[in-house]
Amino acid sequence: MRNLKLFERFKSTQIHAFNSQQDSPSTSSNNVTPRINFFGHPKSTSKSKSRSLLPHGFPTTELLEPPLESYLKPIDLVESLSNLYRRIESSSESETSMLYLEQYAVLRSLGDAKLLRRCLLNARRHAIDVPCKVVLSAWLRFDRREHELVGVDSMDCNGFAVECPKTSLIHGYDLNVVDKDCDCSTEYEDNNSFGSDDIKISSADEFSGLDEASDFSFCIGSEKAKCVRWRIAALSRPFEAMLYGSFVESRTSEIDFSENGISIEAMLALNIYSRIKRVHLFRVETIFELLQLASKFCCDDLKSACEARLASSVTNLDKALTFVEYALEERTKLLLSACLQVFLRELPQSLQNPQVMRFFCSSEAKEQLAFLGSECLFLLYYFLSQVGMEQKLTTEPMLILLERTREFARTNWQKALSLHQMGCVLFQRKDYKAAQFHFRLASSLGHVYSLAGVSRTEYKQGKRYSAYKLMNFLISSHKPHGWMYQERSLYNVGVEKLKDLATATELDPSLNFPYKYRAVMKFEQKQIKEAFEEIDRLILFKPSPECLELRAWLFLAIGDRERCLRDLRAVLCLEPNYAVFGGRMRDDLVEALTAQCIEVESEADCWVRLYERWSAVDDVGSLAVVHQMLQNDPSKNYLRFRQSLLLLRLNCQGAAMRCLRMACNLATSEAERLVYEGWLLYDMGYVDKTLTKAEKAISIQRSFEAFFLKAYVLADKNLNADEISCDVQVLEEALKCPSDGLRKGQALNNLGSIYINSGMLDQAETAYKNALEIKHTRAHQGLARVYFLKNQRKEALEEMTKLIEKACSKAAAYEKRSEYSEREKAKEDLDMATTLDPLRTYPYRYRAAVLMDDQRETEAVEELSKAIAFRPELQTLHLRAAFHEATGNLSLAAQDCEAALCLDPNHTETLHLYSRSKDQASSIDNTIFGFD
């Protein structure tokens, strides 16, 4: 945490520690005082003791505050998405790419990585200009965190045409580029190659022009370049006028070119180019001269060929830094794009390169880059600033990047975003006056959320009442949002503060701050059990690093070192570089706590604990055990893969993919690496590429993980009977390979699912029971499904009840059990699911459907609106649109359809509903106005 109230270090020679005799905080006495805790060795000398003491203290309610979000937060997200969909559908090709970028900016607040990537892919698909394509391709590469993989060159495309550096340098859009495989060795045709010089000359006829007799010469000093007059004249109008017009040169056989600053090598090259129309034979230095000559004499084809040749040679940072100055001076867009491409594909490392940052941040570069156009430059600096903010940069260069983003912004959303982000960075730098100025400008452009920044800066400057009044005005003027009440709670006191926090949680349960504040407040009031219950509620459905860190503080304060250590391990799994306890704890905190909590466990002991936590569906506990096992033996790379699976269960996709990339880097065999690469590809939706990786891994080594990956991918397809049989065989092969019970339990669980889909219920039942025998607790859910399909509802309910009793995380089990219950019992289970995990949207949809059946239409829509307010999912929007259509609110039905289609433009049911609602609205209009 950033805001901590730390007491002075204990200065006496004796080490004091608070010892709790209770095993669980829920049974701890409420008389426990949350005081300082020290962990050290009583017999250590003062010197060694000073190293072993851990920092101490506890966060206080006075210093807790939520972060200001640095992205756009529309006041009505559904309306914004609806508007975006209509604009995209009616846009011209030149506008579409930037509209998808706007969609990306609007959807950032949802935090859906796959949805955001789809926006970037669509923006790249519709991009026309080369500089825009270069930026978007680099952005997509950065989005995959390709830079974290060892041995991957920044200019490699790895088979993705949409990220290929050569493809990016081709002008014009290609709607199929996202689905294309790339083979960089393929030779491009002359009319769509990014470098015509790269085309191999396959016929001797192409050199035939070299044999043609010369009829005049260019003289450079005493040296001559013999040329063919008509061929040189064909290069441009100026040359044609010189050689065939009324100039003296048209009547001479020798033309003195000594005063033009061109070397004899360049003129000889010009002669060769005029004959064979190729520049691939020449040195780079010569091509630079040819480019100058082409610019001076308006030789467009020669200029394009030279630009393409130079662009193809920009393959590393040193060359890019060398060529970029020339590209700016000559205003050569293709060459400049090639240089930019290298800088951007080296991100985030290039942000630390002084030469690169000097290029992006200098005032001279700003003026020289202007010929690229404001649209491209906004895109460029928006990408750079996003990378900088992800790296948590608050330096002067970071401010310049944001300022450039603002300067090149043209539309309101671009200006509001850049101003708001500038305000956020200035706020982090504690420059509250400047931050407030930028927040006010952003809010004046219609970005209401920036007023939260205005009020926070007022508060930081000692104007608490002014901040309170502003938020009060905001709440009274707009449809209420959770963040509004959260912000106002900072400036409120007593009961009113708690009311605001309660309202914030009710409107948006995804907000962390209200839970954290209530937990710390209760702990300060010595309500130890209630404090843990509060933070546990949040961690059960949203285990973020800061929340796990807070619970670790609580455990540390009551002397429960083992649970503190468990949560810290989980934090470091989620974010390895997380500054634990605000960076005030020693780097070896985990090692220190380990030494003082427990004896070093053997590998067998760790496996036993992992089985216990896995079987209890305790993903946080399982993460902690895996972290400990990796700490004991970092060479066990397969554990990183297990770690990624656990993180995916916790909806921590970014952390999961990072673990997979690390596992890929540390793979000890090609077969192992191929499996991890396959999972990375699968996460991005490349199913066929994943299948290829799995099959190649199997051909090298028949392993459980390779077969499991292949079976998983096959199950994701629409399989016919023969393909289902094949998938079963693949999983059976996986089960024959060596592996541990945890993974075999998952394989049996998946096998049961395949059997259900193919109607083989008896085989499915056997598979699930075998999984349960090796303590794969989640198999209860599959077995319940089998019983339900066999019309054994009672047995199905019993299986789900067993899962609820065993699992630490129960929300999904309650939700699933509701499917097998009678209406009233189902409602109870779904209410419990919402209590345990308020972010699950199915319970809202079910309750809304029940209300609609009872003809309580208004309440049904309100129930769905609750979920849409914090998670506007496709299914929820579609259902609310259907409700609006049923009640005759066709305009609202169309709006919800448009918002849903903005999330998934190919959703068939929503497309049908949208078409129907528009047709009905049109029919009503025709009736009103008397049209036939």
Side-chain angles (χ1 to χ4, degrees), residues 628-641:
Q628 181 181 345
M629 294 169 77
L630 280 170
Q631 189 180 28
N632 294 342
D633 188 355
S635 67
K636 296 191 182 306
N637 201 34
Y638 63 90
L639 289 172
R640 292 184 177 85
F641 177 57

Side-chain angles (χ1 to χ4, degrees), residues 450-482:
S450 292
L451 289 175
V454 175
S455 63
R456 192 79 67 90
T457 51
E458 288 274 277
Y459 175 63
K460 290 293 184 180
Q461 295 176 85
K463 303 174 183 178
R464 182 174 191 150
Y465 184 61
S466 175
Y468 172 80
K469 283 198 305 181
L470 179 56
M471 292 312 301
N472 217 31
F473 168 77
L474 195 60
I475 290 171
S476 63
S477 304
H478 296 277
K479 180 181 177 181
H481 288 259

